[in-house]
Amino acid sequence: MRYFIITLGILILGVVLIAGRRGDLSRNRPMQIFPDMKRQAKLRPQTANGFFPNGFSSQLPPEGTIAQEQPLTVGGRAVYSFEDAPVNTGRQTGSTNFIALNPFPITGGFLARGEREFNIYCAPCHGRTGEGTGITKKIGAMAVVANLHDKRIVEFTDGEIFHVISQGKGVMQGYASQIAVPDRWAITGYLRALQLSRLGSVDDLAPELRAKLQ
Ligand code: HEC
């Protein structure tokens, strides 16, 4: 009996020692047996410090420093890549709704750039005309590639297409890390032109072109 009580006592003590103070807050620093580099001599920002001649811990960047990135100019405003802006996300700021229209002006040069990028990045699967009959489909590497002339995809807004290019969809990977933001919008513009080429009528042509056709 005596041994039983002693064993029980040791057991209770063990449980209390191991689990007894879990969840308690302590103002003491935890004991660090291997502190590694958790504590080190460093300058805190915006404080006085004698290390630099001017006595500030924070220093201006050296002269000639080049900014890590240039902002995009969209609608006369500078937009940085970290901003929650329609040009970066394809969505209205602070919402999940896709924007209707391409934020860049659609010019001939812009579409030519879109064509070049589309033929590099999209044509291997979707084909140069967007029908989903690229080389990966032909050799059987991809079973089902979306036909970009499907009514459902034609009805996408520009923002939604940009979103698919950036984030991918199903087995299609996202291209945000490979294609720069303006190029993704150029592809979006070019894809719209491809879709329109199937849907347009003779009446959409300029008069002189229409005359040539007839
Ligand atoms: C490696 C092959 C591949 C490449 C490259 C590729 N796609 Fe796709 N894409 C697919 C496949 C497969 C689907 C169908 C995905 C699904 O529904 O699971 C698809 C779907 C889509 C859709 C429809 C998404 C939806 O909601 O149904 C769009 C739009 C699209 N791709 C645009 C593009 C554009 C633009 C590019 C070039 C930047 C591109 N894709 C490059 C394979 C590819």
Side-chain angles (χ1 to χ4, degrees), residues 9-180:
I10 290 173
L11 263 176
I12 290 173
L13 195 68
V15 168
V16 169
L17 277 179
I18 292 169
R21 296 183 66 92
R22 277 176 59 192
D24 279 7
L25 290 178
S26 165
R27 289 190 178 277
N28 298 332
R29 282 184 185 176
M31 200 163 47
Q32 289 185 338
I33 297 163
F34 300 109
D36 295 329
M37 294 177 75
K38 287 195 189 96
R39 287 174 212 293
Q40 51 186 290
K42 65 179 174 235
L43 303 183
R44 301 226 177 243
Q46 309 284 3
T47 53
N49 196 290
F51 182 77
F52 291 107
N54 65 1
F56 301 143
S57 65
S58 301
Q59 300 291 301
L60 289 172
E63 214 174 300
T65 302
I66 297 169
Q68 193 177 347
E69 69 165 331
Q70 296 297 328
L72 291 171
T73 308
V74 186
R77 195 173 83 81
V79 182
Y80 283 92
S81 62
F82 54 79
E83 287 179 51
D84 176 12
V87 68
N88 290 328
T89 60
R91 299 176 193 270
Q92 285 156 21
T93 307
S95 113
T96 54
N97 297 337
F98 292 111
I99 55 168
L101 295 176
N102 205 313
F104 288 96
I106 308 294
T107 61
F110 188 69
L111 290 182
R113 185 166 158 196
E115 177 179 16
R116 195 192 61 198
E117 299 289 312
F118 183 92
N119 287 341
I120 294 171
Y121 290 104
C122 318
C125 294
H126 292 285
R128 290 206 163 200
T129 55
E131 279 177 315
T133 50
I135 187 71
T136 53
K137 176 78 174 287
K138 287 204 183 97
I139 63 172
M142 286 242 148
V144 195
V145 180
N147 177 353
L148 302 180
H149 298 284
D150 275 353
K151 184 163 181 287
R152 190 177 61 84
I153 298 173
V154 171
E155 284 171 355
F156 277 10
T157 65
D158 287 356
E160 199 164 1
I161 290 181
F162 176 86
H163 176 77
V164 171
I165 301 175
S166 308
Q167 309 297 327
K169 174 84 186 228
V171 288
M172 171 183 155
Q173 68 157 341
Y175 285 86
S177 61
Q178 290 171 59
I179 312 178

